[in-house]
Coordinates of all heavy atoms in Angstrom, one line a residue:
A43 N 129.8 -43.9 97.5 CA 129.2 -42.7 98.1 C 127.7 -42.8 98.0 O 127.1 -43.2 96.9 CB 129.7 -41.5 97.4
E157 N 139.5 -60.5 113.8 CA 140.0 -61.6 114.6 C 139.9 -61.3 116.1 O 139.7 -62.2 116.9 CB 141.5 -61.8 114.3 CG 141.8 -62.2 112.9 CD 141.7 -61.0 111.9 OE1 141.8 -59.8 112.3 OE2 141.5 -61.3 110.7
K198 N 97.4 -40.6 113.8 CA 98.4 -39.8 113.2 C 98.0 -38.3 113.3 O 97.1 -37.9 112.6 CB 98.7 -40.2 111.8 CG 99.3 -41.6 111.7 CD 99.6 -42.0 110.2 CE 100.1 -43.4 110.2 NZ 100.4 -43.8 108.8

Side-chain angles (χ1 to χ4, degrees):
E157 299 78 22
K198 294 182 180 179

